Amino acid sequence: MQIVDIISLTCNALKDECISSLLLLATKRSIESKVYEQSIQSLFPNCTIYPVVPSLWVPSIENQVDEATLDTVVKDVVVDYVGKVDAVLLGCTHYPLVKANIEKYLPVKMYDSCNAIVDAMVHEGDVNPTAHIYTSGDPVVTKKQVYDLLQMDVEVLKL
């Protein structure tokens, strides 16, 4: 069994790109750890990184607020970066669920952890890739979100 962390997978997806300014949307712990920033800076030493914790996004997504409220919550975070960034990194597995909302206000290249996970799981000849997901949150909610995003029924375990 191979264990791969989401941050490495996500940042490796950027390696062949040309990024000069990036909006890094991630959780408080991820931003405070600077792991994403260090990884991105190792790929793009001159990249300007704007690390932002959209604190209302996860609760809004998990509590399934109405679309208008969710759209406002997303807009309030990203609108300030129009014209400042040429890419967005969605550094939380919840954030691809609001990708369309982000693109509505900030139409730039977007990178997300879910695509990186799928790319890492799909191997030549591997017809039925499997994964075990560990979460610090509610495993039932996470299992549903993984299915909604990846159309994969996976085992989700509480950390």
Side-chain angles (χ1 to χ4, degrees):
M1 174 172 67
Q2 179 184 13
I3 297 175
V4 183
D5 70 276
I6 292 173
I7 294 172
S8 297
L9 286 177
T10 306
C11 290
N12 283 340
L14 305 175
K15 67 181 177 209
D16 295 326
E17 301 293 329
C18 181
I19 300 171
S20 61
S21 57
L22 177 103
L23 175 58
L24 169 61
L25 300 168
T27 64
K28 183 178 179 193
R29 282 189 182 171
S30 293
I31 296 291
E32 287 175 351
S33 74
K34 299 198 181 290
V35 174
Y36 268 116
E37 288 179 79
Q38 291 166 356
S39 186
I40 295 163
Q41 290 289 189
S42 73
L43 294 168
F44 310 104
N46 297 318
C47 181
T48 302
I49 301 170
Y50 299 94
V52 174
V53 178
S55 59
L56 296 178
W57 288 15
V58 170
S60 297
I61 292 166
E62 288 185 351
N63 293 318
Q64 300 176 344
V65 300
D66 64 89
E67 185 59 30
T69 302
L70 187 60
D71 195 61
T72 299
V73 168
V74 170
K75 179 183 177 185
D76 288 347
V77 172
V78 301
V79 75
D80 291 337
Y81 298 94
V82 174
K84 290 183 181 178
V85 299
D86 54 22
V88 174
L89 190 147
L90 305 177
C92 172
T93 54
H94 285 76
Y95 300 168
L97 294 165
V98 295
K99 190 173 184 177
N101 304 80
I102 298 167
E103 289 171 330
K104 187 169 149 182
Y105 301 105
L106 192 58
V108 297
K109 182 80 176 177
M110 212 158 306
Y111 304 91
D112 72 71
S113 54
C114 291
N115 284 338
I117 293 166
V118 170
D119 291 345
M121 289 181 66
V122 177
H123 300 289
E124 244 179 87
D126 193 354
V127 180
N128 295 308
T130 60
H132 299 282
I133 310 250
Y134 296 88
T135 181
S136 58
D138 182 339
V140 173
V141 170
T142 303
K143 182 177 179 83
K144 182 189 178 313
Q145 291 171 338
V146 169
Y147 187 81
D148 289 347
L149 288 168
L150 307 175
Q151 286 71 54
M152 294 178 72
D153 187 23
V154 298
E155 182 179 7
V156 179
L157 304 169
K158 181 85 171 163
L159 283 177

